[in-house]
Amino acid sequence: MRILVTGGAGFIGSHVAENFSQQGHQVVILDNLSTGRRENIPDGVEFVEGDITDKALVDKLFTEHAFEVVNHHAAQMDIRHSVEDPAFDAQVNIIGIITLLQAAARVGTKKFMFASTGGAIYGEQDYFPADENHPTNPISPYGISKLAGEKYLYYYHVQHGIKIVVMRYANVYGPRQNPFGEAGVLAIFSHLLVQGKQVTINGDGLQTRDYIYIGDVVQANALALDWPGSITFNVGTGKETNVITLYKYLAEAAETDLAPLHGPAKPGEQQRSVISHELATKTLSWKPEMALQEGIALTYRSFVAK
Ligand SMILES: NC(=O)c1ccc[n+]([C@@H]2O[C@H](COP(=O)([O-])OP(=O)(O)OC[C@H]3O[C@@H](n4cnc5c(N)ncnc54)[C@H](O)[C@@H]3O)[C@@H](O)[C@H]2O)c1
């Protein structure tokens, strides 16, 4: 199939593009390299440097390639930046997806896959783990723009018959994650430990997240690519881990006894987040395979090898 992977120079998109290409698909990556890196781009994949909000460029690409599938990973994904500049967040995450969807509808793209969030979209949870029917009450412009993206997808599905796949990711971790962003605690901590530096945990470190390994996320994308219908599903482990425990596993992998420092808690930070993968298991036969300690060790080793 002819597949456009947006954000394919980034962490998750590059792994997904690599897998699709290895399966024999014809993959084109569109990425503006704002947080992505050229060295992440897999061999044998065509790379176009540009912005998803550049309508002329997007239209030209779709006309040239008549993509059958769009796998949309490009985004403004810094929650704090979305708070400081909600208009920029909306420009990339809402205008960006509309630009792609308009072009997709025009050339008859069959399927649109979207990397949404299973953290920010639910907000503070009413129950744990959250399933896909949990109320969506995002408490950041980023969560709101991802939710808006889902709603636009649904509209194009109804109006234009495009099949839609919404993947609500938990906290994804693994090799190639950018350690210089605001999110991606394992990448940030691994990068510091490799340099022998102490890490700083925000607040008491008892805030929890659901950590899902990149290999499992790639597998979810691969299964959803072949899934004939439309679906919105969580991609998480259903297990909650706090930052103290996470650091303990990482310190074991790094064989260090450096103690973490504690900084002030981040105002407005979600306290607990964990999502159920029951729907994906039932429909796509997907389940997370990687044990957290093993995934952390693999991630740490990838930062050592750099
Ligand atoms: N990493 C996670 O834990 C996580 C969790 C939930 C959802 N997601 C979603 O998954 C997707 C990928 O995240 P990631 O962790 O790989 O981040 P990333 O920053 O590594 O990848 C994003 C990519 O998009 C590109 N990009 C950004 N704005 C663009 C624009 N306007 N035009 C073209 N390219 C642009 C960046 O250069 C980068 O290569 C995002 O949509 C994110 O919201 C990630």
Side-chain angles (χ1 to χ4, degrees):
M1 278 187 281
R2 295 180 303 281
I3 307 178
L4 174 68
V5 179
T6 69
F11 164 45
I12 304 172
S14 68
H15 284 278
V16 170
E18 188 171 26
N19 174 271
F20 286 176
S21 170
Q22 282 165 354
Q23 287 181 45
H25 298 295
Q26 207 182 308
V27 177
V28 176
I29 286 176
L30 173 62
D31 197 301
N32 68 358
L33 299 179
S34 54
T35 55
R37 282 172 299 199
R38 217 172 262 280
E39 65 261 31
N40 287 346
I41 296 162
D43 292 339
V45 164
E46 185 181 334
F47 172 55
V48 177
E49 185 175 346
D51 202 291
I52 54 166
T53 62
D54 181 343
K55 189 173 173 333
L57 171 69
V58 168
D59 279 346
K60 183 169 163 279
L61 261 186
F62 276 76
T63 302
E64 271 170 22
H65 295 274
F67 298 113
E68 291 155 281
V69 175
V70 175
N71 182 282
H72 180 35
H73 275 83
Q76 187 309 110
M77 56 164 297
D78 182 330
I79 294 187
R80 251 169 263 158
H81 188 51
S82 83
V83 172
E84 285 156 16
D85 194 350
F88 176 73
D89 179 88
Q91 174 69 17
V92 178
N93 293 355
I94 302 180
I95 303 301
I97 201 169
I98 295 173
T99 307
L100 293 165
L101 280 164
Q102 277 287 88
R106 184 174 56 79
V107 305
T109 297
K110 293 187 183 64
K111 180 183 280 205
F112 199 108
M113 304 172 72
F114 176 44
S116 187
T117 163
I121 218 163
Y122 297 124
E124 286 298 351
Q125 292 176 213
D126 297 340
Y127 55 89
F128 305 87
D131 56 21
E132 294 78 0
N133 296 319
H134 186 285
T136 47
N137 291 315
I139 47 172
S140 63
Y142 167 75
I144 296 170
S145 65
K146 284 285 175 181
L147 183 58
E150 291 193 8
K151 299 285 182 195
Y152 274 103
L153 276 186
Y154 184 69
Y155 163 72
Y156 278 83
H157 169 61
V158 172
Q159 287 300 320
H160 299 277
I162 300 179
K163 296 223 167 91
I164 53 171
V165 170
V166 175
M167 300 168 289
R168 291 180 176 166
Y169 298 155
N171 277 57
V172 187
Y173 72 98
R176 288 188 209 155
Q177 188 163 27
N178 187 342
F180 304 111
E182 169 247 0
V185 68
L186 273 166
I188 296 168
F189 285 2
S190 297
H191 179 71
L192 288 169
L193 286 187
V194 167
Q195 297 172 303
K197 293 185 181 156
Q198 271 176 300
V199 313
T200 301
I201 292 175
N202 299 332
D204 59 13
L206 296 178
Q207 61 275 42
T208 68
R209 295 291 180 269
D210 180 339
Y211 293 95
I212 181 83
Y213 189 66
I214 183 66
D216 286 320
V217 173
V218 168
Q219 184 59 13
N221 274 267
L223 291 168
L225 178 66
D226 295 335
W227 172 252
S230 290
I231 185 170
T232 294
F233 67 102
N234 285 341
V235 182
T237 67
K239 292 183 189 139
E240 253 176 299
T241 307
N242 69 37
V243 185
I244 303 280
T245 307
L246 198 75
Y247 182 74
K248 180 174 158 284
Y249 293 160
L250 182 62
E252 279 164 16
E255 297 177 357
T256 177
D257 47 19
L258 269 181
L261 303 167
H262 282 268
K266 295 283 167 198
E269 189 187 13
Q270 225 165 299
Q271 263 311 299
R272 290 178 70 191
S273 178
V274 59
I275 57 178
S276 156
H277 61 81
E278 226 171 88
L279 179 69
T281 303
K282 264 193 223 146
T283 50
L284 301 172
S285 301
W286 176 87
K287 60 176 174 36
E289 302 286 350
M290 181 61 76
L292 183 57
Q293 275 164 285
E294 194 187 338
I296 288 177
L298 287 172
T299 304
Y300 180 75
R301 285 206 288 276
S302 76
F303 277 86
V304 173
K306 274 190 167 180

